[in-house]
Amino acid sequence: MQKDRKLIIAGNWKMNKTVAEALDLVGGLRRELASVKEVDLVVCPPFTALGEVSKAILDSNVRLGAQNMSEHSGGAYTGEVSAMMLKEFSVRYVILGHSERRQYYGESNALISRKALAAHAATLKPILCIGETLAEREAGQTEAVLESQLRGSLAGLSKEHMEETVLAYEPVWAIGTGKTATTEQAQSAHAFVRHVVASMFDETIAKYVRIQYGGSVKPSNARELMSQPDVDGALVGGASLEVRSFTDIVKNSI
Ligand code: 13P
């Protein structure tokens, strides 16, 4: 389906793949997806594989993303990686506020907004994640949670920043569980996210911002999800770890 917004499909490899495994995967993707022009393709390997993957995708249609970064530009922050360090490897995108970071590492909306500002200062494009838990959905709080995550984690961003920001709606209950949101649930959440973006910024920003869906995206459900009017791509976890499944997701989405 043709939309005003170009689809963006990203693989979030999470804490998987040694350098050798990463090169195998990205080599296969580069080969299989060489002819794809309709979709922006992004792979997000762990930090340790960024350097080698960066070289392996030179002159290809695959772009590089990181899975996290520090809100600081440098200094005494043991274990952290700055935006400029990512830029050294030609990283273009950075996933921020993933629910696993929020849940296991205590990342708050305020921290995520500082990271988003630091990413933009270095001209990295955030893929900023939001999503409700099962308990929140069952309590009828989905929209309230999404709105407060958006208002908190996009705080301080300008319209120009938003033009270079991708959003990812990832219902926490659908991540790694095999339970995908129904197309109606995804479409309704995406339309709501776009509505909040319009009220925070303006209609034009909302019209052009790309909103990915994430949570058990597979070759078998990609087409239906991507055909929803407000779904502009996918952030894929488990199924991005194999050449075949990621390739099929991309091909089924076109
Ligand atoms: P799965 O595709 O494994 O459900 O993971 C989704 C995700 O968290 C992508 O960021």
Side-chain angles (χ1 to χ4, degrees):
M1 184 173 105
Q2 212 55 38
K3 293 187 185 148
D4 290 343
R5 302 169 294 267
K6 190 174 182 188
L7 287 182
I8 174 165
I9 301 183
N12 174 7
W13 297 1
K14 307 193 179 182
M15 199 172 72
N16 294 291
K17 304 291 178 189
T18 62
V19 170
E21 291 165 348
L23 289 176
D24 256 6
L25 174 54
V26 85
L29 294 177
R30 188 182 167 148
R31 216 170 33 246
E32 295 291 325
L33 296 170
S35 62
V36 173
K37 293 185 185 64
E38 305 88 332
V39 181
D40 284 336
L41 300 171
V42 183
V43 291
C44 304
F47 289 136
T48 47
L50 287 174
E52 289 299 319
V53 170
S54 178
K55 286 185 234 161
I57 57 176
L58 271 180
D59 303 321
S60 82
N61 55 347
V62 180
R63 298 284 170 265
L64 194 58
Q67 299 174 19
N68 182 30
M69 55 167 257
S70 172
E71 75 274 34
H72 300 293
S73 55
Y77 300 102
T78 302
E80 292 292 288
V81 172
S82 75
M84 287 316 288
M85 292 169 182
L86 297 177
K87 292 284 290 184
E88 245 190 323
F89 295 120
S90 306
V91 169
R92 310 273 185 102
Y93 296 88
V94 59
I95 299 172
L96 295 179
H98 191 279
S99 68
E100 288 148 16
R101 303 283 328 161
R102 293 175 185 262
Q103 199 178 336
Y104 306 140
Y105 302 97
E107 292 200 5
S108 64
N109 289 318
L111 174 65
I112 295 159
S113 103
R114 290 198 297 277
K115 290 188 177 196
L117 288 168
H120 283 299
T123 66
L124 279 179
K125 300 177 203 289
I127 296 179
L128 198 140
C129 306
I130 50 169
E132 81 289 358
T133 63
L134 186 58
E136 289 163 343
R137 175 164 283 271
E138 286 175 347
Q141 294 167 346
T142 300
E143 294 192 346
V145 169
L146 295 179
E147 176 152 13
S148 97
Q149 289 178 337
L150 285 166
R151 291 195 180 273
S153 47
L154 298 176
L157 268 67
S158 65
K159 289 184 186 179
E160 290 71 27
H161 290 149
M162 277 313 290
E163 286 168 4
E164 303 294 334
T165 300
V166 175
L167 298 176
Y169 169 60
E170 297 207 313
V172 178
W173 49 272
I175 296 178
T177 58
K179 280 190 208 154
T180 320
T182 63
T183 48
E184 293 76 19
Q185 286 170 327
Q187 168 55 26
S188 145
H190 281 233
F192 178 73
V193 168
R194 204 175 294 289
H195 160 79
V196 175
V197 171
S199 78
M200 290 180 68
F201 298 91
D202 64 34
E203 291 289 345
T204 311
I205 299 287
K207 180 169 180 224
Y208 288 106
V209 70
R210 294 185 291 180
I211 310 172
Q212 296 176 313
Y213 169 79
S216 298
V217 176
K218 301 183 274 269
S220 58
N221 59 27
R223 189 186 306 278
E224 219 189 335
L225 284 162
M226 297 310 127
S227 68
Q228 297 305 304
D230 287 293
V231 177
D232 310 311
L235 184 54
V236 186
S240 73
L241 299 174
E242 300 288 337
V243 175
R244 185 78 274 141
S245 45
F246 192 72
T247 300
D248 287 348
I249 286 173
V250 173
K251 295 202 166 156
N252 292 348
S253 299
I254 298 173

